[in-house]
């Protein structure tokens, strides 16, 4: 730089600075271009990669579409084959059902025919058996009738039963015109069997009830009364014998007599064997209670001295037994009354002593109250 006082000349520096700036801008532009190129190369490489991937995806999509189409075609073929097979099987089943239906119809036709034949054969066999049964019934009628007559004579059945059995037999074997045979049993029974049976029962009744055989007059009178209807059975004859004077005089038994025999023993009979109306009752006087302590003196009641047995009529015996019952009841009542008196006495004694103690305590309480009241606080 010179010194003359004029402006300094720095144009060279400016030019150098401008060159430097242009060089820097050029270097920056080159670097920027390089970076742009590098970026573009990366973008191109990425684009190529994307395109390659899209291409591969498109190839896979085409392959899957082909596979799907092939699968659909295969499924269609399989479905068609399955449908054809199923239709063939269904047709076969329908054909079998038709065959079975035809076989069933044929079976039922045959069975119906066989059933009709079986029914017809069964009816024919039943008719033959029925004919044989009726023939056997007709052949066995007379022996059956004789058997009923034998049972009627022996007393196994009555004539009413014999009639009914014979009617039932005739009905069972469809035999008509046999009513007269059934009615003949009544005549046989009334004229032969019943009188003979009654005569036998009459003899047994006299022996059982009166202890002797019937006389000829008694037998004749009894049979005449039976034929006349006065006696309907041997039971009616027995009832008449029970009411007769001979039985009443000899035995004179009644329900009340049997009761007295059970309660008081058998009736005492005299030397002739006739009843006296009296009985002897055994009595155990040890079963009676007795006085204890001074109870006899306190009650001032003397009990009767009962013996070991009582003899008398049933009324007298009952009165004696009532005396025993009354004595027993008196002793028990006296004992209980005495016991109750002792209890009442002891109870009253306790009450009196308790009242005295209460009065003593009350008096002492009044003294304490008076003492306390004499103090003033």
């Amino acid at each position: 730089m010179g010194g003359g006082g004029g402006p300094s000349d720095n144009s060279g520096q400016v030019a150098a600075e401008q060159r430097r700036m242009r060089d820097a801008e050029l270097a920056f532009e080159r670097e920027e271009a390089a970076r742009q190129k590098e970026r573009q190369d990366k973008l191109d490489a990425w684009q190529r990669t994307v395109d390659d991937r899209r291409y591969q995806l498109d190839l896979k999509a085409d392959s899957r579409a082909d596979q799907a189409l092939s699968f659909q075609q295969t499924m269609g073929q399989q479905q068609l084959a399955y449908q054809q097979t199923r239709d063939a099987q269904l047709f076969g089943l329908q054909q079998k059902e038709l065959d079975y239906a035809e076989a069933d119809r044929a079976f039922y036709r045959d069975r119906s025919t066989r059933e009709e034949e079986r029914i017809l054969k069964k009816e024919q066999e039943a008719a033959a058996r029925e004919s044989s049964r009726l023939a056997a019934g007709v052949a066995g009628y007379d022996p059956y009738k004789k058997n009923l007559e034998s049972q009627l004579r022996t007393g196994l059945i009555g004539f009413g039963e014999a009639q009914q059995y014979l009617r039932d037999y005739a009905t069972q074997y469809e035999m008509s015109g046999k009513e007269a045979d059934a009615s003949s049993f009544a005549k046989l029974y009334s004229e032969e069997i019943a009188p003979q049976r009654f005569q036998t029962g009459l003899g047994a009744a006299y022996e059982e009830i009166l202890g002797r055989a019937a006389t000829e007059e008694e037998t004749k009178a009894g049979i005449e009364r039976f034929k006349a209807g006065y006696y309907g059975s041997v039971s009616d004859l027995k009832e008449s014998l029970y009411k007769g004077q001979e039985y009443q005089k000899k035995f004179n038994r009644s329900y009340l007599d049997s009761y007295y025999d059970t309660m008081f023993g058998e009736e005492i009979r005299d030397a002739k064997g006739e009843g006296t109306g009296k009985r002897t009752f055994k009595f155990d006087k040890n079963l009676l209670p007795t006085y204890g302590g001074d109870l006899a003196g306190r009650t001032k009641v003397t009990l009767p001295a009962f013996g070991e047995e009582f003899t008398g009529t049933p009324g007298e015996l009952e009165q004696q037994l009532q005396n025993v019952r009354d004595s027993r009841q008196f002793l028990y009542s006296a004992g209980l009354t005495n016991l109750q008196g002792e209890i009442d006495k002891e109870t009253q004694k306790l009450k009196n002593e308790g009242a005295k103690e209460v009065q003593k305590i009350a008096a002492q309480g009044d003294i304490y109250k008076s003492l306390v009241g004499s103090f003033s606080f």
Side-chain angles (χ1 to χ4, degrees):
M1 293 180 48
S8 62
D9 187 8
N10 57 356
S11 57
Q13 294 179 353
V14 173
E17 185 63 28
Q18 289 178 346
R19 284 194 299 271
R20 187 185 63 80
M21 292 180 64
R22 284 196 297 271
D23 292 338
E25 289 178 359
L26 181 60
F28 176 77
E29 289 177 355
R30 287 193 185 111
E31 292 176 359
E32 185 65 25
R35 285 194 297 271
Q36 289 291 336
K37 183 177 182 303
E38 182 180 2
R39 189 181 299 112
Q40 187 63 43
D41 291 339
K42 290 181 179 180
L43 289 174
D44 293 340
W46 180 77
Q47 187 65 42
R48 285 193 299 271
T49 301
V50 171
D51 292 340
D52 290 340
R53 290 181 178 177
R54 287 180 177 176
Y55 177 72
Q56 293 297 329
L57 291 174
D58 291 339
L59 290 177
K60 291 181 179 179
D62 293 340
S63 176
R64 285 198 296 270
D66 294 338
Q67 291 177 356
L69 179 60
S70 175
F71 176 75
Q72 290 178 355
Q73 291 176 350
T74 302
M75 288 295 296
Q77 293 173 356
Q78 291 178 352
Q79 288 179 355
L80 178 61
Y82 171 74
Q83 186 66 34
Q84 291 174 349
T85 303
R86 190 183 66 174
D87 292 342
Q89 292 176 349
L90 182 60
F91 177 76
L93 291 175
Q94 292 175 348
Q95 187 64 37
K96 286 182 180 180
E97 288 180 355
L98 293 175
D99 295 340
Y100 288 151
E102 182 61 29
D104 288 342
R105 285 194 292 271
F107 170 76
Y108 285 117
R109 284 197 300 270
D110 294 340
R111 190 178 73 171
S112 178
T113 302
R114 290 194 303 270
E115 183 68 16
E116 291 176 356
E117 293 174 353
R118 187 185 66 80
I119 293 174
L120 180 60
K121 182 179 179 181
K122 185 177 180 181
E123 291 176 350
Q124 292 174 350
E125 292 175 351
R129 287 196 300 271
E130 181 66 13
S131 178
S132 300
R133 187 184 71 83
L134 294 178
V138 173
Y141 178 77
D142 291 335
Y144 183 76
K145 178 184 175 184
K146 290 181 180 180
N147 184 37
L148 290 178
E149 182 178 338
S150 176
Q151 293 183 34
L152 180 60
R153 289 183 180 276
T154 56
L156 296 177
I157 59 175
F159 76 91
E161 293 175 308
Q163 287 180 326
Q164 189 60 46
Y165 288 154
L166 195 62
R167 291 192 185 100
D168 293 342
Y169 186 93
T171 301
Q172 181 180 0
Y173 294 102
E174 301 179 4
M175 301 171 63
S176 58
K178 301 298 181 181
E179 289 298 324
D181 292 340
S183 301
S184 66
F185 283 131
K187 182 178 180 181
L188 174 65
Y189 182 82
S190 61
E191 294 181 358
E192 298 181 22
I193 298 175
Q196 183 179 0
R197 190 176 297 172
F198 181 80
Q199 184 176 355
T200 303
L202 182 146
Y206 271 86
E207 291 177 357
E208 293 172 359
I209 298 175
L210 300 180
R212 64 175 180 81
T215 64
E216 184 177 353
E217 291 78 7
E218 290 172 337
T219 302
K220 183 177 180 181
I223 293 176
E224 289 178 354
R225 291 175 181 176
F226 175 74
K227 290 182 177 180
Y230 182 78
Y231 293 145
S233 63
V234 178
S235 298
D236 295 339
L237 171 63
K238 289 182 177 181
E239 187 66 24
S240 177
L241 292 177
Y242 281 129
K243 295 178 181 179
Q245 293 182 359
E246 181 178 351
Y247 177 83
Q248 294 292 327
K249 182 178 180 181
K250 190 173 183 179
F251 298 101
N252 193 23
R253 305 298 297 168
S254 66
Y255 171 78
L256 191 59
D257 292 329
S258 299
Y259 169 76
Y260 288 147
D261 287 347
T262 303
M263 294 296 297
F264 307 119
E266 295 184 358
E267 183 180 7
I268 300 174
R269 298 186 177 276
D270 57 15
K272 297 181 180 179
E274 296 182 358
T276 62
K278 296 184 177 181
R279 291 169 172 78
T280 298
F281 179 77
K282 301 293 183 180
F283 173 70
D284 188 358
K285 62 181 181 180
N286 293 325
L287 298 177
L288 278 175
T290 57
Y291 284 124
D294 60 345
L295 187 60
R298 295 174 62 182
T299 58
K300 298 180 181 180
V301 175
T302 302
L303 294 177
F306 295 107
E308 295 183 352
E309 64 181 26
F310 302 138
T311 300
T313 63
E316 294 171 347
L317 293 177
E318 182 61 35
Q319 184 62 39
Q320 289 289 349
L321 291 178
Q322 187 60 42
N323 291 335
V324 172
R325 297 189 193 99
D326 293 342
S327 299
R328 182 187 293 110
Q329 182 63 36
F330 171 77
L331 289 174
Y332 283 134
S333 299
L336 292 174
T337 302
N338 179 65
L339 178 62
Q340 185 63 44
E342 294 295 334
I343 293 174
D344 293 342
K345 183 188 297 184
E346 292 297 327
T347 302
Q348 187 62 42
K349 181 179 180 181
L350 292 175
K351 288 181 179 180
N352 295 336
E353 292 178 355
K356 291 179 180 179
E357 291 295 330
V358 170
Q359 291 176 358
K360 185 184 295 184
I361 293 171
Q364 292 176 355
D366 292 338
I367 294 173
Y368 292 149
K369 288 181 181 179
S370 298
L371 291 175
V372 172
S374 64
F375 292 97
S376 59
F377 296 96

Coordinates of all heavy atoms in Angstrom, one line a residue, residues 202-254:
L202 N -131.6 -138.8 65.7 CA -132.5 -138.8 66.9 C -131.9 -139.6 68.0 O -131.8 -139.2 69.2 CB -133.9 -139.3 66.5 CG -135.0 -139.3 67.6 CD1 -136.3 -138.9 67.0 CD2 -135.1 -140.6 68.3
G203 N -131.4 -140.8 67.7 CA -130.8 -141.7 68.7 C -129.6 -141.1 69.3 O -129.4 -141.1 70.5
A204 N -128.8 -140.5 68.4 CA -127.5 -139.8 68.9 C -127.9 -138.6 69.8 O -127.2 -138.4 70.8 CB -126.7 -139.4 67.8
A205 N -128.9 -137.9 69.5 CA -129.3 -136.7 70.3 C -129.8 -137.1 71.7 O -129.4 -136.5 72.7 CB -130.4 -135.9 69.6
Y206 N -130.6 -138.2 71.8 CA -131.0 -138.6 73.1 C -129.8 -139.1 74.0 O -129.7 -138.8 75.2 CB -132.0 -139.8 73.0 CG -133.4 -139.3 72.9 CD1 -134.0 -138.9 71.7 CD2 -134.2 -139.2 74.0 CE1 -135.3 -138.5 71.5 CE2 -135.6 -138.7 73.9 CZ -136.1 -138.4 72.7 OH -137.3 -137.9 72.6
E207 N -128.9 -139.8 73.3 CA -127.7 -140.3 74.1 C -126.8 -139.1 74.5 O -126.2 -139.1 75.6 CB -126.9 -141.3 73.2 CG -127.7 -142.6 73.0 CD -126.9 -143.5 72.1 OE1 -125.8 -143.1 71.6 OE2 -127.4 -144.6 71.8
E208 N -126.6 -138.1 73.6 CA -125.7 -137.0 73.9 C -126.3 -136.1 75.0 O -125.6 -135.6 75.8 CB -125.4 -136.2 72.6 CG -124.6 -137.0 71.6 CD -124.5 -136.2 70.3 OE1 -125.0 -135.1 70.2 OE2 -123.8 -136.7 69.4
I209 N -127.6 -135.8 74.9 CA -128.2 -134.8 75.7 C -128.8 -135.4 77.0 O -128.5 -134.8 78.1 CB -129.3 -134.0 74.9 CG1 -128.7 -133.3 73.7 CG2 -130.1 -133.1 75.8 CD1 -129.7 -132.6 72.8
L210 N -129.5 -136.5 76.9 CA -130.2 -137.1 78.1 C -129.4 -138.2 78.6 O -129.7 -138.7 79.7 CB -131.6 -137.5 77.7 CG -132.5 -136.4 77.3 CD1 -133.9 -137.0 77.0 CD2 -132.6 -135.3 78.3
G211 N -128.4 -138.7 77.9 CA -127.6 -139.8 78.4 C -128.2 -141.1 78.4 O -127.9 -142.0 79.1
R212 N -129.2 -141.3 77.5 CA -129.9 -142.6 77.4 C -130.4 -142.8 76.0 O -130.4 -141.8 75.2 CB -131.1 -142.7 78.3 CG -132.2 -141.6 78.0 CD -133.4 -141.8 78.9 NE -134.4 -140.8 78.7 CZ -135.3 -141.0 77.7 NH1 -135.3 -142.0 76.8 NH2 -136.2 -140.0 77.5
A213 N -130.8 -144.0 75.6 CA -131.3 -144.3 74.3 C -132.8 -143.9 74.2 O -133.5 -143.9 75.2 CB -131.2 -145.8 73.9
A214 N -133.2 -143.5 73.0 CA -134.6 -143.1 72.8 C -135.5 -144.4 72.9 O -135.1 -145.4 72.3 CB -134.8 -142.4 71.5
T215 N -136.7 -144.2 73.4 CA -137.7 -145.4 73.4 C -138.3 -145.5 72.1 O -138.2 -144.6 71.2 CB -138.7 -145.1 74.5 OG1 -139.5 -143.9 74.1 CG2 -138.1 -144.9 75.9
E216 N -139.0 -146.6 71.9 CA -139.7 -146.8 70.6 C -140.7 -145.7 70.3 O -140.9 -145.3 69.2 CB -140.3 -148.2 70.6 CG -141.0 -148.6 69.3 CD -141.5 -150.0 69.3 OE1 -141.3 -150.7 70.2 OE2 -142.2 -150.4 68.3
E217 N -141.5 -145.4 71.4 CA -142.5 -144.3 71.2 C -141.8 -143.0 70.9 O -142.4 -142.2 70.1 CB -143.3 -144.2 72.5 CG -144.2 -145.4 72.8 CD -143.4 -146.6 73.4 OE1 -142.2 -146.4 73.7 OE2 -144.0 -147.7 73.6
E218 N -140.7 -142.7 71.6 CA -140.0 -141.4 71.3 C -139.5 -141.4 69.9 O -139.6 -140.3 69.2 CB -138.9 -141.2 72.3 CG -139.4 -140.9 73.7 CD -138.3 -140.9 74.7 OE1 -137.2 -141.5 74.4 OE2 -138.5 -140.3 75.8
T219 N -139.0 -142.5 69.4 CA -138.5 -142.6 68.0 C -139.6 -142.4 67.0 O -139.5 -141.6 66.1 CB -137.8 -143.9 67.8 OG1 -136.7 -144.1 68.7 CG2 -137.2 -144.0 66.4
K220 N -140.7 -143.1 67.2 CA -141.8 -143.0 66.3 C -142.4 -141.5 66.3 O -142.7 -141.0 65.2 CB -142.9 -144.0 66.8 CG -144.1 -144.0 65.8 CD -145.1 -145.0 66.3 CE -146.3 -145.1 65.4 NZ -147.3 -146.1 65.8
A221 N -142.5 -140.9 67.5 CA -143.1 -139.6 67.5 C -142.1 -138.6 66.9 O -142.6 -137.7 66.2 CB -143.3 -139.2 69.0
G222 N -140.8 -138.8 67.1 CA -139.9 -137.8 66.5 C -139.9 -137.9 65.0 O -139.9 -136.9 64.3
I223 N -140.0 -139.1 64.4 CA -140.0 -139.3 62.9 C -141.3 -138.7 62.4 O -141.3 -138.0 61.3 CB -139.9 -140.8 62.6 CG1 -138.4 -141.2 63.0 CG2 -140.1 -141.0 61.1 CD1 -138.2 -142.7 62.7
E224 N -142.4 -138.9 63.0 CA -143.7 -138.3 62.6 C -143.6 -136.8 62.6 O -144.1 -136.1 61.6 CB -144.8 -138.8 63.5 CG -145.2 -140.3 63.3 CD -146.3 -140.8 64.2 OE1 -146.7 -140.0 65.0 OE2 -146.7 -142.0 64.0
R225 N -143.1 -136.2 63.6 CA -143.0 -134.8 63.7 C -142.0 -134.2 62.6 O -142.2 -133.2 62.0 CB -142.4 -134.3 65.0 CG -143.4 -134.6 66.2 CD -142.9 -134.2 67.5 NE -143.8 -134.5 68.6 CZ -143.5 -134.3 69.9 NH1 -142.3 -133.9 70.2 NH2 -144.4 -134.6 70.8
F226 N -140.9 -135.0 62.3 CA -140.0 -134.6 61.2 C -140.7 -134.6 59.9 O -140.6 -133.7 59.0 CB -138.8 -135.5 61.2 CG -137.9 -135.3 60.1 CD1 -137.0 -134.2 60.1 CD2 -137.8 -136.1 59.0 CE1 -136.2 -133.9 59.0 CE2 -137.0 -135.9 57.9 CZ -136.2 -134.8 57.9
K227 N -141.5 -135.7 59.6 CA -142.2 -135.8 58.3 C -143.3 -134.7 58.2 O -143.6 -134.2 57.1 CB -142.9 -137.2 58.2 CG -141.9 -138.3 58.0 CD -142.6 -139.6 57.8 CE -141.6 -140.8 57.5 NZ -142.2 -142.1 57.4
A228 N -143.9 -134.3 59.3 CA -144.9 -133.3 59.3 C -144.3 -131.9 59.2 O -145.1 -130.9 59.0 CB -145.8 -133.4 60.6
G229 N -143.0 -131.8 59.4 CA -142.3 -130.5 59.2 C -142.1 -129.8 60.6 O -141.6 -128.6 60.6
Y230 N -142.5 -130.4 61.7 CA -142.3 -129.7 63.0 C -140.8 -129.6 63.3 O -140.4 -128.6 63.8 CB -143.1 -130.5 64.1 CG -143.0 -129.9 65.4 CD1 -143.7 -128.8 65.8 CD2 -142.1 -130.4 66.4 CE1 -143.6 -128.2 67.0 CE2 -142.0 -129.8 67.6 CZ -142.8 -128.7 68.0 OH -142.6 -128.2 69.2
Y231 N -140.1 -130.7 63.0 CA -138.6 -130.7 63.1 C -138.1 -130.5 61.8 O -138.3 -131.4 60.9 CB -138.1 -132.0 63.8 CG -138.5 -132.2 65.2 CD1 -138.8 -133.5 65.7 CD2 -138.6 -131.1 66.1 CE1 -139.1 -133.7 67.0 CE2 -138.9 -131.3 67.4 CZ -139.2 -132.6 67.9 OH -139.6 -132.8 69.2
G232 N -137.3 -129.4 61.6 CA -136.7 -129.3 60.3 C -135.3 -130.0 60.2 O -134.9 -130.3 59.1
S233 N -134.7 -130.3 61.3 CA -133.5 -131.0 61.4 C -133.3 -131.5 62.7 O -134.1 -131.3 63.7 CB -132.3 -130.0 61.0 OG -132.2 -129.0 62.0
V234 N -132.1 -132.3 62.9 CA -131.8 -132.8 64.2 C -131.5 -131.7 65.2 O -131.8 -131.9 66.4 CB -130.6 -133.8 64.1 CG1 -130.2 -134.3 65.4 CG2 -130.9 -134.9 63.1
S235 N -131.1 -130.6 64.7 CA -130.8 -129.4 65.6 C -132.1 -129.0 66.3 O -132.1 -128.6 67.5 CB -130.2 -128.3 64.9 OG -128.9 -128.7 64.3
D236 N -133.2 -129.0 65.6 CA -134.5 -128.6 66.2 C -134.9 -129.6 67.3 O -135.4 -129.2 68.3 CB -135.6 -128.6 65.1 CG -135.3 -127.5 64.1 OD1 -134.5 -126.5 64.4 OD2 -135.8 -127.6 62.9
L237 N -134.6 -130.9 67.0 CA -134.9 -131.9 68.0 C -134.0 -131.7 69.3 O -134.5 -131.8 70.4 CB -134.6 -133.3 67.4 CG -134.7 -134.5 68.4 CD1 -136.1 -134.6 69.0 CD2 -134.3 -135.8 67.8
K238 N -132.8 -131.4 69.1 CA -131.9 -131.1 70.2 C -132.4 -129.9 71.0 O -132.4 -129.9 72.3 CB -130.5 -130.9 69.7 CG -129.8 -132.2 69.2 CD -128.3 -131.8 68.8 CE -127.6 -133.1 68.4 NZ -126.2 -132.8 68.0
E239 N -132.8 -128.9 70.4 CA -133.3 -127.7 71.1 C -134.5 -128.1 71.9 O -134.7 -127.6 73.0 CB -133.6 -126.6 70.0 CG -134.0 -125.3 70.6 CD -132.8 -124.7 71.4 OE1 -131.6 -125.0 71.1 OE2 -133.1 -123.8 72.3
S240 N -135.4 -128.9 71.3 CA -136.6 -129.4 72.1 C -136.2 -130.2 73.3 O -136.8 -130.0 74.4 CB -137.5 -130.2 71.1 OG -138.6 -130.7 71.8
L241 N -135.2 -131.0 73.2 CA -134.7 -131.8 74.3 C -134.1 -130.9 75.4 O -134.3 -131.2 76.6 CB -133.7 -132.9 73.9 CG -134.2 -134.0 73.0 CD1 -133.1 -134.9 72.5 CD2 -135.3 -134.8 73.6
Y242 N -133.4 -129.9 75.0 CA -132.8 -129.0 76.0 C -133.9 -128.3 76.8 O -133.7 -128.0 78.0 CB -132.0 -127.9 75.3 CG -130.6 -128.5 74.9 CD1 -130.1 -128.3 73.6 CD2 -129.8 -129.1 75.9 CE1 -128.8 -128.8 73.3 CE2 -128.5 -129.6 75.5 CZ -128.1 -129.4 74.2 OH -126.8 -129.9 73.9
K243 N -135.0 -128.0 76.1 CA -136.1 -127.3 76.8 C -137.1 -128.2 77.6 O -137.9 -127.8 78.3 CB -137.0 -126.5 75.8 CG -136.2 -125.4 75.1 CD -137.1 -124.7 74.0 CE -136.3 -123.6 73.3 NZ -137.1 -123.0 72.3
G244 N -136.9 -129.5 77.4 CA -137.8 -130.5 78.0 C -137.5 -130.6 79.5 O -136.5 -130.2 80.1
Q245 N -138.6 -131.1 80.3 CA -138.5 -131.2 81.7 C -137.5 -132.2 82.2 O -136.8 -132.0 83.2 CB -139.9 -131.7 82.2 CG -141.0 -130.6 82.0 CD -142.3 -131.1 82.6 OE1 -142.4 -132.2 83.2 NE2 -143.3 -130.2 82.6
E246 N -137.3 -133.3 81.4 CA -136.3 -134.3 81.8 C -134.9 -133.6 81.9 O -134.1 -133.8 82.9 CB -136.3 -135.5 80.9 CG -135.3 -136.5 81.3 CD -135.4 -137.7 80.3 OE1 -136.3 -137.8 79.5 OE2 -134.5 -138.6 80.4
Y247 N -134.5 -132.9 80.9 CA -133.2 -132.3 80.9 C -133.1 -131.2 81.9 O -132.1 -131.1 82.7 CB -132.9 -131.7 79.5 CG -131.6 -131.0 79.4 CD1 -130.4 -131.7 79.2 CD2 -131.5 -129.6 79.6 CE1 -129.2 -131.0 79.2 CE2 -130.3 -128.9 79.6 CZ -129.1 -129.6 79.4 OH -127.9 -129.0 79.3
Q248 N -134.2 -130.4 82.1 CA -134.1 -129.3 83.0 C -134.0 -129.8 84.5 O -133.3 -129.3 85.3 CB -135.4 -128.4 82.9 CG -135.5 -127.7 81.6 CD -134.4 -126.6 81.5 OE1 -134.1 -126.0 82.5 NE2 -133.9 -126.3 80.3
K249 N -134.7 -130.9 84.7 CA -134.7 -131.5 86.1 C -133.4 -132.1 86.3 O -132.8 -132.1 87.5 CB -135.8 -132.5 86.2 CG -135.9 -133.1 87.6 CD -137.1 -134.0 87.7 CE -137.2 -134.6 89.1 NZ -138.4 -135.6 89.2
K250 N -132.8 -132.8 85.3 CA -131.6 -133.6 85.5 C -130.3 -132.7 85.5 O -129.4 -132.9 86.3 CB -131.5 -134.7 84.4 CG -130.4 -135.7 84.7 CD -130.4 -136.8 83.7 CE -129.4 -137.9 84.0 NZ -129.4 -139.0 83.0
F251 N -130.3 -131.8 84.7 CA -129.1 -131.0 84.5 C -129.3 -129.5 84.9 O -128.5 -128.9 85.7 CB -128.6 -131.1 83.1 CG -128.2 -132.5 82.7 CD1 -129.1 -133.2 81.9 CD2 -127.0 -133.0 83.1 CE1 -128.7 -134.5 81.5 CE2 -126.7 -134.3 82.7 CZ -127.5 -135.1 82.0
N252 N -130.4 -128.9 84.3 CA -130.7 -127.5 84.6 C -129.5 -126.6 84.6 O -129.1 -125.8 85.5 CB -131.3 -127.4 86.0 CG -132.0 -126.0 86.3 OD1 -132.3 -125.4 85.3 ND2 -132.1 -125.6 87.5
R253 N -128.7 -126.7 83.5 CA -127.5 -125.9 83.3 C -127.9 -124.7 82.5 O -128.7 -124.7 81.7 CB -126.5 -126.7 82.6 CG -126.1 -128.1 83.2 CD -125.5 -127.9 84.6 NE -124.3 -127.2 84.5 CZ -123.6 -126.7 85.6 NH1 -124.2 -126.8 86.8 NH2 -122.5 -126.0 85.4
S254 N -127.2 -123.6 82.9 CA -127.4 -122.4 82.1 C -126.1 -121.7 82.0 O -125.1 -122.1 82.6 CB -128.4 -121.5 82.8 OG -127.9 -121.1 84.1

